[in-house]
Amino acid sequence: MCRNIHPLHNFEPAATNDEVHAAALQFVRKVAGTTKPSRANAAAFDEAVEEIAHITRHLLDHLVTNAPPKNREIEAEKARARAAHRYVSV
């Protein structure tokens, strides 16, 4: 799994279209093995990003959970604390 793709489900506020697009872009980059396609592959690359973003939005809109939504700020603070602990010099 790409480290830059973060869970998008069950957050308040819900994932934005920009977040969904960014996740789709990261996925396509990983699968294609490149961050920037050649001119010959640009159209296929961009089409794949748009299709994956569309399917991801569809998935997020249809997932059901009984868990309360997570707060983005609290989750971000937890991630920062984990990173600080992980990268502390010994």
Side-chain angles (χ1 to χ4, degrees), residues 7-60:
L8 299 176
H9 175 60
N10 198 29
F11 279 95
E12 190 58 44
T16 65
N17 287 335
D18 287 342
E19 290 172 313
V20 171
H21 185 271
L25 179 60
Q26 283 297 114
F27 178 79
V28 172
R29 285 175 172 169
K30 185 71 164 187
V31 170
T34 182
T35 57
K36 187 170 192 250
S38 66
R39 280 192 219 159
N41 294 324
F45 189 91
D46 293 341
E47 182 181 348
V49 171
E50 292 308 315
E51 287 183 22
I52 291 170
H54 175 77
I55 292 299
T56 301
R57 172 53 65 194
H58 179 78
L59 173 65
L60 291 172

